[in-house]
Amino acid sequence: MDPKFEPVMASGREAAAGRPAPIPGGFETTSVDRHRVLRNVYWLLAISLLPVVGGAWLGMQLNFVALFKAAPVMTPLLMFGVMLGTLFAVTLLRNSAWGVAALLGFTFISGVFLTPILSVAAGLKNGGQLVALAGGMTAAIFFTLAAVATVTKKDFSFMGKFLFIGLVLLIVASLANIFFQIPALSVTISAIAVLIFSAYILFDLSRIIHGGETNYIMATLALFLDVYNIFVSLLNLLMAFSGQRD
């Protein structure tokens, strides 16, 4: 995949860092609260995927990829700024009824920003199969790791510092590759991103299960970013190694 189409969505997690403290109370009440948050998160995460599809369709119809071709450096940087702005809005509204609307708006914009990589896939003979395969692999990774976190109830909070450092380095490398446009670096970034965001799924679910995150909007946002970045990275890898050009 052309490095200039590479997303820089990973930074969203930094904006989602302002998370409330666990709800105080007895063990039984806290357990009920945690299960309610987890249930709401799963429902909201499923719903949030619908605007992604709508945003991707709209982006394809409006030929959003033309902006990347016209301004291959400025457009990704503007994307970066728009994502940070919408993430800030979700964080600001996380404790109000408007928080869900802001989250769905963010996922819609995320769908629009999928247009470049989907356009590249559309130019391949097996592009549709690769998109479906990336989606299936992403779902398999999520459900497997969700089962691990839920069944074992292991506390994965110890990974937080290591993951944050890896995330920062990933963002720096992604931004640098917008300018350098090195295909090998793009593939390397995608492979590392799959590992980092897979680990983040364990970390984020562990926070919910153990009461470290009680705001279901912020919890959904964190998991959405994990899933989104895994999908994009897997699709980039599949196109790099299995893409069949006409």
Side-chain angles (χ1 to χ4, degrees), residues 31-49:
S31 178
V32 171
D33 289 334
R34 293 172 185 171
H35 283 90
R36 184 173 65 249
V37 171
L38 188 60
R39 183 175 62 252
N40 289 340
V41 166
Y42 283 147
W43 274 108
L44 188 54
L45 181 62
I47 294 172
S48 69
L49 297 179

Side-chain angles (χ1 to χ4, degrees), residues 1-168:
M1 176 181 173
D2 195 326
K4 62 174 172 288
F5 291 152
E6 185 176 294
V8 285
M9 286 286 296
S11 60
R13 180 170 298 279
E14 295 181 43
R19 297 163 174 165
I23 297 176
F27 174 81
E28 182 178 355
T29 301
T30 302
S31 178
V32 171
D33 289 334
R34 293 172 185 171
H35 283 90
R36 184 173 65 249
V37 171
L38 188 60
R39 183 175 62 252
N40 289 340
V41 166
Y42 283 147
W43 274 108
L44 188 54
L45 181 62
I47 294 172
S48 69
L49 297 179
L50 298 178
V52 176
V53 176
W57 177 85
L58 181 63
M60 295 292 286
Q61 296 301 310
L62 297 178
N63 195 25
F64 183 72
V65 72
L67 294 177
F68 282 78
K69 294 179 180 179
V73 175
M74 286 304 301
T75 302
L77 293 178
L78 288 175
M79 279 179 56
F80 187 80
V82 170
M83 298 311 300
L84 287 181
T86 52
L87 283 166
F88 177 77
V90 175
T91 305
L92 189 66
L93 298 171
R94 66 184 182 274
N95 293 317
S96 71
W98 289 101
V100 174
L103 176 64
L104 296 180
F106 170 78
T107 62
F108 177 81
I109 294 174
S110 300
V112 175
F113 288 167
L114 281 176
T115 304
I117 193 170
L118 293 179
S119 296
V120 175
L124 302 174
K125 290 194 297 184
N126 60 340
Q129 296 175 345
L130 295 180
V131 171
L133 181 58
M137 292 175 65
T138 301
I141 290 173
F142 177 81
F143 287 124
T144 300
L145 295 178
V148 171
T150 304
V151 174
T152 65
K153 292 182 171 58
K154 180 177 176 60
D155 187 356
F156 291 97
S157 61
F158 67 91
M159 299 192 302
K161 293 182 179 179
F162 301 103
L163 290 176
F164 181 76
I165 293 173
L167 178 61
V168 171

Side-chain angles (χ1 to χ4, degrees), residues 186-198:
S186 176
V187 171
T188 302
I189 289 172
S190 295
I192 295 175
V194 171
L195 297 176
I196 289 179
F197 287 105
S198 294

